[in-house]
Every structure is written in C-alpha cells, then in structure tokens.
Amino acid sequence: MKYKRILLKLSGEALMGDKNYGIDSSRLQQYANDIKAVHELGVEIAIVIGGGNIFRGVQAGNVGIDRVQGDYMGMLATLINAMALQSSLEQNGMYTRLMSGIKVESVCEPFIRRRAIRHLEKGRIVIFGAGIGNPYFTTDSTASLRAIEIEAEVVLKGTRVDGVYTADPEKDRDAKRYDKISFQEVYEKNLSVMDMTAFTLCQENNLPIIVFDMNKKENLLNLVHGKNVGTLITSK
Ligand code: UDP
C-alpha cells in the first residue's frame, strides 16, 4: 500500500453519470464500492466533492443572480452531493463524518482541523462539504487546502478523463497522456489540471496530485497499491 492518508476529490459533474442533471444512483454506488475497497486496506480517506451537477457560481450571472450569492449556492450544492455520498457510504457499512465549511448545524459538523484528523485516525471517512466556506474559491482549492491541513500524502483528483494530456483529448485526437509531469512543466505548457489557486497551493506545499479516471472501476484501488494509473504531478 503506497498511501496511508489520501484526499480524494470527486467532481460533482461525474456524479450525474449519463444524466443531464443531479445524481446517478449507479455512479454513487460505484463510488461507494471503490471507496470501500480502499478503506478496507486501512487507508485513511478524506473526500471533497464538487457541485457542478447542481449549481456553479459562475452560472449565476446568466440568470441574474449576484456572483457571491451564486458561490454560496454552489457551496450548498456541494453539500447536497456530500450528503448523498455520506448516505451511500454508510449504507455500504462505512463510518463517516460530514464537515462543512459553512455553518449548517442541523446537518453536519463544522470543519475543525484537529477533529477531522481524529476522525480519520478512528477509521471514519471524512467528507468536506460546502467548500472552504468562502466565495471565489472552488472545490479543487478546497481539496488542496484540506489535504495540506490534514497532512494527506496526495490529492487524488478523480475526473472523467484518465490523466493530463498534451492537449484536450476530447477535442484533439493526437493528444498524448503524461504518466508523470512536474508542477513546473504544467505551468510552462499551460496544461489544465486544476484552477491556479488550487494548483499553486499544492506546488508550494510539495503535495503531489494524481489526476485519474474515477469512473473506471478499481482505478482508485490500483492507485493506492502504487500502480501506474492516471498522471502523477510532483515537484521534480
Ligand atoms: N464554491 C465556492 N467556494 C468554495 C467551494 C465552492 O464559492 O470554497 C462554489 C463555486 O461557486 C463553485 C461551486 O461552489 O462553482 C461548485 O463547486 P465546483 O465548481 O468546484 O464543483 P465541480 O465543478 O468540481 O463539480
């Protein structure tokens, strides 16, 4: 087993599966299965999930909603996904805690760093909902920041694409995937991995990122076993 403590970032968009909106139950179940397999190895798991399948702050302007208000709506959207994931993990026999970046006391705990670490040590899966709790940030930034705070060894960014490519693989057929690349090269080649705030946080704190396809069964498990899945981004 290569990692003892991981931060898994799941995108909200991936959660909708083939649907146009909302949550796909089979996708949710697949995530629960994959997470369980890793949890059974004794890996400590923290999760950040996005909200793009429900609402994104940047969409707010299009419908006449103030940007900051829209960002809070986006944070609440991530909380809805986090609650769905929490429920699914518990139905599959895992113990979990949901911690929120904004106060929603009837639903979950507030984020308290030392408490989050204690939950992890006790084998509970910790889900961080509602982002950092501030507008103008993303769930990628949340993933980077929380990973650093809880001293995770790696950020595993699960997406629909199986890594970082020389160009957008959905648009350019000749695009090639990197097995490994440095933070510096990602900057120089202007490749998209995460938004800059999230990316810089990882670089400055020497926290490796792995971009991989979460929709492919057992990718997560293989990654934790140290197999070559997706693209690893490190300092050198
Ligand atoms: N958001 C925010 N602050 C945070 C995290 C999220 O304002 O700390 C808002 C932001 O509007 C974002 C939305 O929540 O667009 C949903 O998150 P994101 O777009 O990162 O989700 P994903 O695309 O990964 O599903």
Side-chain angles (χ1 to χ4, degrees):
M1 190 166 77
K2 190 163 179 203
Y3 304 108
K4 181 88 186 64
R5 183 176 291 167
I6 60 171
L7 186 305
L8 175 64
K9 160 75 206 311
L10 300 173
S11 92
E13 259 181 0
L15 204 57
M16 59 189 181
D18 298 328
K19 299 173 23 168
N20 298 320
Y21 179 85
I23 300 169
D24 179 60
S25 59
S26 58
R27 184 54 55 74
L28 195 59
Q29 184 57 46
Q30 182 225 318
Y31 285 180
N33 291 342
D34 288 353
I35 292 165
K36 186 170 188 171
V38 171
H39 186 246
E40 280 171 351
L41 295 174
V43 177
E44 294 175 4
I45 307 167
I47 304 173
V48 171
I49 186 158
N53 55 325
I54 301 172
F55 194 84
R56 264 212 183 92
V58 284
Q59 298 166 344
N62 307 336
V63 283
I65 298 169
D66 168 73
R67 167 69 200 260
V68 173
Q69 183 86 333
D71 277 342
Y72 279 110
M73 291 168 71
M75 287 182 246
L76 292 175
T78 73
L79 204 57
I80 290 173
N81 285 336
M83 289 168 74
L85 184 65
Q86 176 178 40
S87 185
S88 175
L89 295 178
E90 292 200 328
Q91 276 165 22
N92 284 275
M94 287 162 269
Y95 291 97
T96 66
R97 289 291 186 274
L98 172 55
M99 299 188 128
S100 173
I102 56 178
K103 277 192 194 165
V104 221
E105 279 151 17
S106 317
V107 175
C108 56
E109 303 176 13
F111 170 70
I112 298 167
R113 175 179 168 268
R114 299 172 83 115
R115 207 156 167 190
I117 292 173
R118 191 77 194 112
H119 289 322
L120 291 169
E121 286 169 352
K122 286 189 174 171
R124 297 172 185 143
I125 296 174
V126 179
I127 307 170
F128 298 122
I132 291 168
N134 293 104
Y136 297 103
F137 286 92
T138 62
T139 44
D140 276 348
S141 297
T142 310
S144 306
L145 177 63
R146 295 293 185 243
I148 296 160
E149 288 182 277
I150 62 163
E151 294 169 12
E153 290 147 285
V154 65
V155 174
L156 303 178
K157 180 175 158 121
T159 64
R160 296 180 294 181
V161 193
D162 64 347
V164 180
Y165 280 77
T166 49
D168 184 346
E170 287 175 359
K171 290 182 192 139
D172 184 346
R173 278 205 205 163
D174 297 327
K176 292 204 168 50
R177 184 173 64 83
Y178 294 97
D179 279 345
K180 210 177 165 220
I181 189 168
S182 68
F183 286 107
Q184 194 56 36
E185 259 186 285
V186 170
Y187 270 124
E188 283 165 10
K189 300 200 161 90
N190 203 13
L191 303 171
S192 63
V193 172
M194 289 176 168
D195 62 85
M196 273 306 155
T197 312
F199 188 78
T200 309
L201 258 178
C202 289
Q203 182 178 30
E204 286 178 348
N205 292 280
N206 207 2
L207 175 69
I209 307 167
I210 299 176
V211 179
F212 74 105
D213 182 359
M214 180 68 191
N215 296 340
K216 204 164 152 222
K217 242 176 92 187
E218 295 185 356
N219 258 355
L220 183 63
L221 186 65
N222 288 331
L223 257 179
V224 169
H225 278 308
K227 289 192 188 148
N228 190 357
V229 176
T231 301
L232 170 68
I233 303 142
T234 56
S235 298
K236 50 181 178 328

